[in-house]
Amino acid sequence: MSQPPNPQYQQAAMPGCWWHPNRPTGLSCSRCERPACPDCLREAAVGFQCTDCVQAGRQQDRVQQKQYRDAGYGARTIAGAQPPSTAVATPVLLALNVVIFFVTVAQSGSIANNNFSALFQLGELANVPTLAGDEWWRIFTSGFLQYGLLHIAGNAFSLWFVGRPLETALGRVPFVALYFVSMLGGSAANLVFTDLDALPVVGASGAIFGLIGAYAVIVIRLRLNPTWLLVMLGLNVFITFQVPGISILGHAGGFVAGLLVTFALLYAPEKNRLKWQIGGIAIIVVAMVGLIVWKDAQTISAAYCQFTSYQGQTAYLCYR
């Protein structure tokens, strides 16, 4: 004759929870196999694990992910670069523009007429000293000069608004390459497609238009909603053609350069991606430099440039 099971006997036969010995349990951790009550178990990818194993697994994952990232692998941006935790290049570029602006203000003694600054006159993109006087640094220094308070305020806002999300999306190094190649594109367009006696140009807007061109390629590549891009592009095109004194060629050249660079970044084959990207950008740079060299070859007259007194101001004049 059989006896009914004794509940007290069954409870005593169960092992106690590893962390709560007074709690008998028939459950255990799928990783360390220690007995655990329901309060000490967490759902895992396979079965249930105790709290100690869950914490140890997370710590191990963090270490492995760090080693993976340090080896050059891990999460990537849309350009294949390591994603930056925060935008750094954008505020640095912005700070350079602002600092240089106030240096020119201090030299000239005027916010509205900071173009009389010696630094401004030596850095602006003027065709005669650049092409005939071989002052090639002006191709890039002009991109860090702003004329007047409204100019620096507008470009600073645009760079901050457009640059930060783009730097995060592309990665720091691709973003910096995009910025400077776009700046080169704006300067090249001004040098190649204007007369030798054209008015000098300055400003970061050529590079900023290159960033807008990059957005256009990203929208197409990722099939995003183009509404925001069209509004931003339309507003900038309106300002370009309606506000007097703005370099249309500089904006157009920067925009085209930004398009081409971003195309090289995003459409490079996965295999040997970095080499394809570097090669594509190098071709773009060589093409623009080749145009400038061709234009320089057409400029046969040499120029002699120096600071001199002109209408009560110290001006940097070139003589041919």
Side-chain angles (χ1 to χ4, degrees):
M1 183 176 179
S2 62
Q3 295 181 343
N6 188 338
Q8 293 182 353
Y9 175 79
Q10 287 184 346
Q11 184 176 5
M14 289 185 183
C17 171
W18 186 268
W19 295 268
H20 305 97
N22 61 336
R23 298 182 185 179
T25 180
L27 305 174
S28 63
C29 173
S30 60
R31 183 175 181 180
C32 66
E33 299 184 351
R34 291 180 292 185
C37 66
D39 291 339
C40 296
L41 290 174
R42 301 290 183 270
E43 187 175 2
V46 179
F48 290 83
Q49 295 182 6
C50 64
T51 52
D52 286 353
C53 288
V54 169
Q55 293 177 0
R58 289 175 179 172
Q59 179 65 25
Q60 183 178 6
D61 287 343
R62 285 194 291 267
V63 172
Q64 290 177 342
Q65 289 174 7
K66 184 178 184 303
Q67 293 174 344
Y68 197 61
R69 290 193 301 269
D70 292 343
Y73 302 101
R76 294 286 175 173
T77 67
I78 58 175
Q82 293 188 11
S85 57
T86 183
V88 173
T90 300
V92 168
L93 291 169
L94 177 58
L96 281 174
N97 280 277
V98 173
V99 168
I100 292 174
F101 172 75
F102 282 107
V103 169
T104 61
V105 169
Q107 286 185 344
S108 63
S110 172
I111 292 182
N113 296 311
N114 63 312
N115 56 310
F116 290 110
S117 159
L119 178 63
F120 194 102
Q121 295 181 64
L122 284 173
E124 63 186 357
L125 187 66
N127 287 10
V128 172
T130 304
L131 295 171
D134 295 332
E135 297 181 0
W136 300 110
W137 63 81
R138 294 174 180 268
I139 291 174
F140 290 104
T141 55
S142 59
F144 291 96
L145 294 169
Q146 321 298 324
Y147 176 54
L149 189 60
L150 184 61
H151 195 197
I152 181 64
N155 282 341
F157 174 79
S158 298
L159 178 56
W160 182 258
F161 182 73
V162 177
R164 288 181 302 132
L166 191 59
E167 180 182 350
T168 304
L170 293 177
R172 194 164 296 139
V173 175
F175 173 79
V176 172
L178 168 67
Y179 188 89
F180 280 98
V181 176
S182 298
M183 185 184 295
L184 174 61
S187 296
N190 274 299
L191 290 173
V192 173
F193 299 110
T194 59
D195 296 330
L196 195 61
D197 295 325
L199 293 175
V201 295
V202 295
S205 51
I208 293 172
F209 260 78
L211 304 185
I212 297 174
Y215 272 106
V217 178
I218 292 174
V219 166
I220 295 172
R221 184 73 171 91
L222 302 183
R223 299 180 180 179
L224 303 177
N225 188 336
T227 302
W228 181 83
L229 171 67
L230 294 175
V231 171
M232 179 177 59
L233 184 59
L235 178 61
N236 281 275
V237 169
F238 175 80
I239 294 173
T240 299
F241 285 96
Q242 294 300 318
V243 177
I246 288 183
S247 172
I248 298 175
L249 283 172
H251 288 186
F255 183 80
V256 172
L259 282 174
L260 296 175
V261 169
T262 312
F263 186 88
L265 289 172
L266 300 191
Y267 286 89
E270 288 292 334
K271 187 176 182 181
N272 297 322
R273 187 177 195 179
L274 181 60
K275 293 181 180 179
W276 281 101
Q277 290 173 334
I278 294 175
I281 295 175
I283 292 173
I284 298 168
V285 171
V286 169
M288 290 188 294
V289 171
L291 286 173
I292 296 174
V293 171
W294 170 82
K295 180 69 174 183
D296 180 59
Q298 311 302 311
T299 310
I300 57 176
S301 58
Y304 172 73
C305 304
Q306 66 176 7
F307 281 103
T308 185
S309 180
Y310 178 75
Q311 296 183 353
Q313 297 286 345
T314 300
Y316 191 75
L317 300 178
C318 295
Y319 305 93
R320 289 183 287 153

